[in-house]
Amino acid sequence: MTKSKADEEDYWNSSKFKAFTFDDEDDELIRLKESRQAVNSIQRLVEEDDDEDDVEKVSWSGEPVGSISWSVKETAASNQRTDREPAFPKIPTDTPSLSKSQSGYSLSSLFKGKTKGGNFQSFTDTLSDSSIRLYAPELRKPKSEYKDYVSDWSPEETIQRLQQGKTAPLEKFRSLQDKLLLLDFAVSAHDGNVITAVLIYLKRTLSKEVLFRELESRQTALRHFIHYLTETKDQRLLLELLRALGRTEDVALLQYKEHLSIADENKRRDFLKSCLSLPFSAEDSAHVQDHYTLLERQIIIEATDRQAERGGKVEIFQKFPRRASILNMPLITTLYYCCFYHYSEPEGTYSSPLNIRQAFKISEKQYFVTALAARAKLKAWLDVDALFTSRNWLGFTRKKSPLSFQRVVDVLQKNSAPTQVLQDYVGLVEDPDMRISLAQKHKCHDIVINTYRDMKDRQQLLGYRGKVGRGSAEERKIDELLNNQQIRWKN
Amino acid sequence: MAAHLSYGRVNLNILREAARKELREFLDKCAGSKAIVWDEYLTGPFGLIAQYSLLKEHEVEKMFTLKSGRLPSADVKNIIFFVRPRLELMDIIAENVFRCHHSSRDFHILFVPRRSMLCEQRLKEQGVLGSFINIDEYILDLIPYDGDLLSMEYESAFRECYLENDQTSLYHTAKGLMTLQALYGTIPQIYGKGDCARHVANMMLRMKREFAGTQNQILPVFDTLLLLDRNVDLLTPLATQLTYEGLIDEIYGINNGYVKLPPEKFAQKKQGEASKDLPTEPKKLQLNSAEELYAEIRDKNFNAVGAALSKKAKIISAAFEERHNAKTVGEIKQFVSQLPHMQAARSSLANHTSIAELIKDITTSEAFFDNLTVEQEFMTGVDTDKVNTYIEDCIAQKDPLIKILRLVCMQSVCNNGLKQKVLDYYKREILQTYGYEHILTLNNLEKGGLLKPQTSSRNNYPTIRKTLKLWMEDANEQNPNDISYVYSGYAPLSIRLTQVLARPGWRSIEEVLKMLPGPHFEERQQLPSGLHKKRQQGENRTTLVFFLGGVTYAEIAALRFLSQMEDSGMEYIIATTKLVNGTTWIKSLMDRIPPSCF
């Protein structure tokens, strides 16, 4: 949507916020154009040399040639022709220049206290060996490593070994006290991996009651245990644990989440029904109830409509075949669907839009936008009209809307409403400036002319005369107004 | 190749080289020809460390993506799995190994960034653990991303820390910082704000004690480390970034340093050729400071990019015009020798002009403007306590859910929680329009503190905003004099904290620090005598700012701006768990809801 220049300036000036403005809008655009032109003119000069561009080569898939993700695809593709080596484009091999980087030691060696990896030293590795001596800090091994030969490790030493990725038997810790010590050391080491390892051991060797009780006073370990159960999808134990901890809302949400993995709609509905009794917070409980009610309805509507569509007797399904099933769609989508296919049904049916509005307490605004969009899509302009018409106590009709009429025009225009429909609503836009800009955009000449007349703006009217067709009814109307002596023009 | 890493104040190429060496060592452990089976997620981060050529030098002949089923045939001795420690991946590996009938194959696993007992146990349960000759870990904690930027590329860090209370990512952070100190010297001063920051500092100090007796003899490169929790500043990532790089990320998403762009604008129109078939594959571009023009414009407010590009265009045009002046053989030679460089500059200019045009189309749209206006209203504290009609309209139009959530969360943060009535209204509208299963999403946002009911009647956001000068009325986008230019008025809270720490110090803002979540603290690490720096007069200090839970490109731009300010006396190096924007951040907090639900 492009707004006219004047229009846009109004918008800017009316805003409190000057920041990120496009004051120099034209300027900016010109600048981009300038650099575009420059680029294009240079292109001609150099295009024959394009292939020698110093820029990274990019393969057909858009990956830079030589990158890992590119090579994965490439070798996988070439795999069918095993006899052929994949041809790799010539790329400068980045030989590591150690003199420049001044770094010859590997990351893990810094911590593991090991100096060299495998036995297969490449040329560069040999090089780097000497640089280790030069640059690597003398890391002394942590104290614990000197005791590698001992097998009787204390809980603390066991944790340290685990942290270093070494084996250490946990089975020898049999008393509850030892096990808990192990856990506490693991927690104070902050290594999630080690904490989990100890928890797995504890889970295997302790009764649920004891484990749950002890975890309750160890929040960090508890969180890791919950994470572990979630990861391993041990739903049953997890729910038991949360219940034991009194974290009922979490239990409810976790159970509710299960419904996502149920594909069959009837089973899903039944499952949601079983969720209704779960201890949700008051507001979530209402939402889950709505979720269940919605699916229940969708199942009924889907069955009926599918049959009607197959039967071939209901006109609307023939004219506008359904694109997808309504099952598991959000509420507002369902409402739209019902406004489209079941608009005039009596309020008693499940698929009646009014019934849905009531049952789910849909806000007035939401209902209006949805009904408006659905009816406009069908070009049912009478329905659109009726949506906004209300009678006052004298029996006069007038148009009322919970939405701004500007938004109404917007929705109608998106559904390609004809000008005669649009102008009814453009005319109802309260703000005269907004009304004029909308009317100009949608070519509702009458409204523009009348608004200028009401504003007694002779200059604008005169200016607008140039925009309507020569000899048209609009031009005559403007001339009539301009010649009218009764109007006191302000300019 | 990775030269841009060594241009900065701190030579981050040292870190990259160390990582490459480690990789070579592992590959050489598996003697003979090899095929690598990749966890697809890892190819991006690995691309920042090594190219295929390095692997090829070490007898890697084939590479596949990890998929369930049978391994593709490959005539190699070793099959190496490069994987993250994820249980679901273990099941796939087990299937691969199980269905492989080559008896002479050697299997290996390289876990990135850490081994996991949980995973090994799963392999054991599946009965394949014994098939592996090597099970190793590749510590890829901090990946050099650019000359002044390190990222762990750990997407779920925020979610794990604040939703699941899983502190594994913090452990990796601490380990990464220890590596960094081993290479660049002990960092004498540590500051921090937030619970996670406190944890990381504790772990670092403890790890240092474990190596007691070991003296790091490297002259410290960093003077200060600042650890910042993302939840200290929830507001900044929610706002739309307005720097060039920030907007590229907001609109197209930058992933592991690459962006994919719609190809139409990049079609090469050659003379005489009428409309060729337009390419349908997205155009993929690498973005980093190795590209001179990009380094120049990435951190500018987008409104200043047009001018910079046209200036560059003039320079390049003039340089090409020089050829007419080249008369002597020497001059022509000189011109020709400069051609490759000029062509690279020309192609870079062409790309960025195209990108700027693409972005301009969006930033000049009504939708973009309306959204920005509402954001700025919230950030200045206008009507944050009522239901916002723009948000309402966006829901009614079924705009993308994440856009709605960004705005609602922003309103909540700027109002120190929403009134119960307002919160309930939003929730209802969202669930009705986008599906009830998003009860889970909303609950996650509440757990993460992004969305919450107002508990006290006192809204302290205005105090924070005023004290820290988070809103600057007269942000100068063209020639900025304050960091607020990165959001055209809003100065990111996180960066203000950083700025104040450098001068005049946090003591001046005690009150505000207490309003923000988590403790703030200061620690000192003893340096061996002789390693105390004797500072030259006028020499800048260097601070490493670590964002736990993610950082945005606009925040990075703001820090670079501070580094460049003449009188700041401070240079910043940035580290983070992951580069984020509002969209990727909120997405990481949503439960994986199967697409069948839409």
Side-chain angles (χ1 to χ4, degrees), chain A residues 19-21 36 45 62-63 71 75 79 88 104-105 108 120 189-190 193 223 283 332 365-366 407, chain B residues 21-22 28 52 63 73 115 117 165 183 206 284 303 320 354 357 392-393 427 432-433 477 488:
Chain A
F20 204 69
T21 53
R36 165 61 66 210
L45 170 69
E63 303 276 352
S71 311
T75 54
N79 195 43
F88 284 93
Y105 33 90
S108 62
F120 302 87
H190 290 287
N193 206 9
R223 291 190 294 249
E283 44 177 303
I332 297 298
K365 253 190 195 175
Q366 276 275 28
R407 284 284 327 275
Chain B
K21 178 161 189 298
E22 168 103 339
D28 289 341
Y52 182 52
M63 304 217 273
S73 67
R115 283 173 79 146
M117 313 245 174
N165 283 304
L183 293 170
R206 197 180 43 76
K284 195 167 173 178
N303 279 341
F320 274 98
S354 297
E357 284 169 346
E392 234 181 351
D393 287 349
K427 279 187 174 177
Q432 288 186 346
T433 308
E477 295 163 350
S488 289

Side-chain angles (χ1 to χ4, degrees), chain B residues 1-166:
Chain B
M1 145 104 275
H4 62 288
L5 295 178
S6 43
Y7 292 154
R9 165 93 178 195
V10 176
N11 183 357
L12 295 181
N13 213 18
I14 296 178
L15 187 62
R16 185 173 183 268
E17 282 305 328
R20 289 164 66 88
K21 178 161 189 298
E22 168 103 339
L23 182 60
R24 287 195 294 266
E25 276 179 11
F26 174 78
L27 290 173
D28 289 341
K29 247 193 231 175
C30 319
S33 57
K34 321 170 180 43
I36 296 179
V37 183
W38 286 94
D39 171 355
E40 211 163 9
Y41 180 91
L42 289 177
T43 55
F46 261 84
L48 295 164
I49 297 295
Q51 299 271 292
Y52 182 52
S53 50
L54 179 141
L55 303 177
K56 207 164 186 277
E57 277 167 34
H58 293 263
E59 293 180 271
V60 175
E61 292 177 0
K62 293 269 179 340
M63 304 217 273
F64 309 110
T65 333
L66 183 63
K67 274 196 206 92
S68 61
R70 276 184 70 162
L71 282 170
S73 67
D75 188 20
V76 288
K77 176 137 196 320
N78 300 285
I79 303 272
I80 313 175
F81 295 92
F82 276 32
V83 287
R84 286 167 295 163
R86 292 277 184 95
L87 287 178
E88 64 272 18
L89 300 179
M90 296 308 111
D91 295 348
I92 300 176
I93 292 180
E95 200 188 341
N96 281 179
V97 171
F98 214 70
R99 297 180 61 174
C100 180
H101 302 300
H102 276 271
S103 49
S104 60
R105 279 279 168 74
D106 287 351
F107 289 104
H108 315 265
I109 295 189
L110 188 61
F111 282 112
V112 186
R114 284 267 149 31
R115 283 173 79 146
S116 143
M117 313 245 174
L118 212 50
C119 288
E120 284 169 45
Q121 203 209 6
R122 181 64 146 249
L123 290 171
K124 200 170 169 187
E125 281 165 19
Q126 302 268 18
V128 293
L129 189 66
S131 317
F132 292 96
I133 300 202
N134 273 309
I135 296 185
D136 220 321
E137 62 186 8
Y138 183 64
I139 307 172
L140 195 63
D141 284 326
L142 282 165
I143 306 168
Y145 211 93
D146 214 320
D148 58 355
L149 179 59
L150 299 160
S151 169
M152 295 169 68
E153 295 300 275
Y154 199 118
E155 209 157 17
S156 51
F158 184 86
R159 185 194 170 102
E160 285 177 14
C161 286
Y162 298 100
L163 253 55
E164 288 153 10
N165 283 304
D166 175 344

Side-chain angles (χ1 to χ4, degrees), chain B residues 220-370:
Chain B
V221 174
F222 299 104
D223 299 283
T224 311
L225 166 67
L226 170 59
L227 295 159
L228 281 177
D229 272 35
R230 186 70 270 174
N231 85 332
V232 170
D233 173 13
L234 294 170
L235 175 55
T236 303
L238 293 169
T240 303
Q241 308 170 68
L242 297 176
T243 56
Y244 180 52
E245 188 167 40
L247 276 166
I248 296 177
D249 188 41
E250 294 277 347
I251 298 169
Y252 299 106
I254 301 175
N255 227 324
N256 300 125
Y258 286 90
V259 65
K260 283 184 181 162
L261 297 159
E264 302 85 51
K265 288 253 183 193
F266 297 91
Q268 296 246 339
K269 269 190 233 114
K270 296 204 174 178
Q271 267 192 325
E273 283 175 71
S275 60
K276 252 196 301 184
D277 289 328
L278 281 178
T280 45
E281 290 274 346
K283 166 104 173 164
K284 195 167 173 178
L285 280 179
Q286 189 170 25
L287 300 173
N288 61 41
S289 57
E291 190 183 349
E292 191 188 319
L293 175 61
Y294 188 62
E296 229 170 272
I297 59 174
R298 66 198 303 187
D299 299 319
K300 286 188 189 298
N301 184 292
F302 184 64
N303 279 341
V305 166
L309 285 176
S310 90
K311 204 172 108 196
K312 193 79 179 180
K314 279 177 197 144
I315 294 170
I316 294 175
S317 299
F320 274 98
E321 285 312 305
E322 282 290 305
R323 71 182 188 279
H324 298 302
N325 304 332
K327 296 270 159 33
T328 68
V329 175
E331 280 166 351
I332 292 170
K333 233 182 186 168
Q334 163 102 29
F335 178 80
V336 169
S337 73
Q338 283 169 0
L339 254 180
H341 177 74
M342 285 159 64
Q343 280 168 21
R346 191 268 309 166
S347 119
S348 164
L349 177 67
N351 283 338
H352 289 291
T353 305
S354 297
I355 299 173
E357 284 169 346
L358 285 167
I359 292 176
K360 186 100 192 156
D361 288 346
I362 288 165
T363 54
T364 48
S365 72
E366 200 173 343
F368 186 86
F369 174 72
D370 290 349

Side-chain angles (χ1 to χ4, degrees), chain A residues 1 11-12 17 19-22 28 31-32 34-36 38-39 42-47 49-50 53 55-56 60-64 66-69 71-72 75-76 79 88 93-94 96 101 103-108 110-111 116 120 125 128 138-140 142 162-163 188-193 196-197 200 223-224 227-228 231-232 253 256-257 260 283-284 287-288 290-291 294 328 330-333 360-361 363 365-366 407, chain B residues 1 14 17-18 20-22 24-25 28 31 38 46 50-53 56 62-65 72-73 115-118 121 139 164-166 171 178-179 182-183 199 203 206 214 242 258 268 271 281 284 286 301 303 306-307 309-310 313 316-317 320 323 343 346-347 349-350 353-354 356-357 360 363 369-370 372 376-377 380 389 392-393 395 397-398 420 424 427-429 431-437 439-440 443 477 488 591 597:
Chain A
M1 237 182 298
Y11 214 3
W12 288 108
F17 303 101
F20 204 69
T21 53
F22 301 93
E28 280 289 301
R31 279 167 171 168
L32 276 183
E34 275 173 9
S35 68
R36 165 61 66 210
V39 165
I42 298 167
Q43 201 143 340
R44 235 168 295 137
L45 170 69
V46 291
E47 68 191 349
D49 299 312
D50 252 6
D53 255 2
V55 178
E56 191 160 24
W60 288 114
S61 62
E63 303 276 352
S67 80
I68 287 177
S69 47
S71 311
V72 170
T75 54
N79 195 43
F88 284 93
T93 23
D94 31 352
S101 72
S103 161
Y105 33 90
S106 71
L107 297 181
S108 62
L110 292 173
F111 293 104
K116 274 303 309 154
F120 302 87
D125 280 337
S128 57
E138 264 304 301
L139 291 186
R140 234 171 277 164
L162 287 177
Q163 250 187 299
S188 61
H190 290 287
D191 185 338
N193 206 9
T196 308
I200 293 172
R223 291 190 294 249
H224 279 274
H227 184 68
Y228 162 65
E231 278 284 293
T232 50
L253 283 169
Y256 167 76
K257 192 175 170 181
L260 290 169
E283 44 177 303
D284 281 351
H287 296 317
V288 175
D290 280 352
H291 191 175
L294 178 63
N328 294 318
L331 174 63
I332 297 298
T333 313
F360 294 92
K361 302 192 188 67
S363 70
K365 253 190 195 175
Q366 276 275 28
R407 284 284 327 275
Chain B
M1 145 104 275
I14 296 178
E17 282 305 328
R20 289 164 66 88
K21 178 161 189 298
E22 168 103 339
R24 287 195 294 266
E25 276 179 11
D28 289 341
W38 286 94
F46 261 84
Q51 299 271 292
Y52 182 52
S53 50
K56 207 164 186 277
K62 293 269 179 340
M63 304 217 273
F64 309 110
T65 333
S73 67
R115 283 173 79 146
S116 143
M117 313 245 174
L118 212 50
Q121 203 209 6
I139 307 172
E164 288 153 10
N165 283 304
D166 175 344
Y171 177 74
M178 294 311 283
T179 309
L183 293 170
H199 265 296
M203 279 188 267
R206 197 180 43 76
T214 313
L242 297 176
Y258 286 90
Q268 296 246 339
Q271 267 192 325
E281 290 274 346
K284 195 167 173 178
Q286 189 170 25
N301 184 292
N303 279 341
L309 285 176
S310 90
I316 294 175
S317 299
F320 274 98
R323 71 182 188 279
Q343 280 168 21
R346 191 268 309 166
S347 119
L349 177 67
T353 305
S354 297
E357 284 169 346
K360 186 100 192 156
T363 54
F369 174 72
D370 290 349
L372 200 61
Q376 300 195 338
E377 278 175 3
T380 46
T389 25
E392 234 181 351
D393 287 349
I395 296 176
Q397 288 171 47
K398 228 178 164 181
Q420 192 67 48
D424 288 348
K427 279 187 174 177
R428 192 175 188 82
E429 294 279 296
L431 295 177
Q432 288 186 346
T433 308
Y434 299 94
Y436 287 105
E437 58 276 10
I439 292 172
L440 299 164
N443 264 287
E477 295 163 350
S488 289
D591 277 303
C597 291

